[in-house]
Amino acid sequence: MSERHFHRSIGVFSGTAINMTQMCGIGPFITIPLMVAAMGGPQAIVGWIVGALLAMADGLVWAELGAAMPGSGGTYVYLRRAFQARTGKLMPFLFIWTMLLAIPLLMSTGIIGMVEYLQFFFPDMGWWTARLVGVAATALVTWMLYRRIESVRVITIALWAIMLVSIVGVAAAGFSHFDARLAFDFPPGAFGSRFFVGLGAGLIIGVYDYLGYNTTAYIGDELRDPGRTMPRTIIISIAAMMVVYLLLNISVLGVAPWREIAASKSVASLVVERSWGHAAAEVMTALIIVTALASVFTGLLGGSRVPFEAARDKVFLSTFGRLHAKHGFPHVALLTMGTVTAIGTFFDLTEVINMLLTATILVQSIAQIVALVVLRRREPRLHRPYRQWLYPVPCIIALVGWVYVYVSASPLSLLLSGAWIVAGLVVFALWARMNDAWPFAPIEIQRTAAGEH
């Protein structure tokens, strides 16, 4: 077992700030056009509201599981506890396997967004040039991480500050030249039968923008009174970001016709330039580019530790448990995720968002809902500082929502993510054979998850 002891220093305010920083990043600056295009007009605001409702229902699943098992690890801990009696280490293994795809793809969206905003300065950038810039940026971030990094507190604080300046700046620019006729220029039949088709595609984008509301569940060892702190940080951060996204979306739609917004590759630059001029737009664009790079930096830093910890806990491929001989960081995981991130930058942004969500919905989102129900029945005496409000209603809402998102995803994303999960099953079978684990050996039950007391 690990001998590390974390200092419980994170309260509700700082925990909410951590969640909100992970939720935002460059997300809304690259997805507002996608949402407007998917839903065909200003009714895109409904996508963010429904996305918030799904995130809130799912957040209540995270809240109960995280409060009951507040050790660092999140989903990995919950799935191990719930499913080990029947399938051994299969579910936590599959979860880590999908994270090898999903985390880098999430980072790819940041790189793609950064390149799109670079085109504000270099409008003649071609397809291949843009892809090479994306690969170079990924290589730069990976190189920066290829060393011992004890703390990223300064970077995190800087990212938080830049994110706030960017959001407030774009919203202020939009509202300073706001035209309600543009913002609410709903096309004919906006809420007709086609609305629900668009809502499926829009919900995928909306959920992507809320990803990160569960960040405190992965640092339970560092929360003060996690049974109270974790649920509050999740609920408050989702509600706060819904307000932020609605205000930002409305302000943007009030500056230019929605069809122009839908076609824009750097919508924040467009809004600021229309409102305050080209020089202000240049400054805002530079801040957003920095935000994108910083979010990829912190994301890959934390993401590379996920397979490392699982390998050290003997539920994943041992090669990912290796540390760099000189600098002592998980270099195998970092290089693997950096490579997948670079590959992801060659895909369309919408397709990448589809792939990262479909890869995680089955093995994380839906699996966690089942885990909560299983643990309620199997371990009724498990200490639960927080019990889900109106159980099982939030579980049902979350389950229906995730299934709706999954079936609304693109055929390519379903095919590729499905193939990845099947490959994970094959790799697990080989790994289990080599390590004498289930189904080739009796199941070993681990009653106490990391971080529990």
Side-chain angles (χ1 to χ4, degrees), residues 401-437:
W402 286 125
V403 170
Y404 182 53
V405 170
Y406 189 80
V407 299
S408 300
S410 68
L412 178 61
S413 66
L414 291 173
L415 177 63
L416 293 179
S417 61
W420 185 264
I421 293 175
V422 170
L425 290 170
V426 174
V427 174
F428 172 78
L430 296 173
W431 175 84
R433 168 65 77 179
M434 294 175 61
N435 290 273
D436 293 324

Side-chain angles (χ1 to χ4, degrees), residues 254-276:
V255 172
W258 67 263
R259 292 174 180 82
E260 186 176 354
I261 296 294
S264 175
K265 291 293 185 181
S266 52
V267 69
S269 307
L270 168 67
V271 170
V272 175
E273 185 172 34
R274 290 282 174 88
S275 302
W276 295 340

Side-chain angles (χ1 to χ4, degrees), residues 211-289:
L211 291 180
Y213 58 83
N214 50 18
T215 302
T216 47
Y218 286 95
I219 54 174
D221 279 328
E222 301 174 68
L223 299 181
R224 288 199 304 264
D225 190 6
R228 290 168 54 86
T229 300
M230 191 180 302
R232 293 180 180 183
T233 60
I234 291 172
I235 294 168
I236 294 172
S237 61
I238 293 171
M241 289 311 301
M242 180 182 72
V243 174
V244 169
Y245 288 150
L246 289 178
L247 289 175
L248 189 61
N249 187 77
I250 292 171
S251 70
V252 167
L253 287 168
V255 172
W258 67 263
R259 292 174 180 82
E260 186 176 354
I261 296 294
S264 175
K265 291 293 185 181
S266 52
V267 69
S269 307
L270 168 67
V271 170
V272 175
E273 185 172 34
R274 290 282 174 88
S275 302
W276 295 340
H278 189 74
E282 288 182 331
V283 173
M284 185 61 64
T285 303
L287 289 177
I288 291 173
I289 291 171

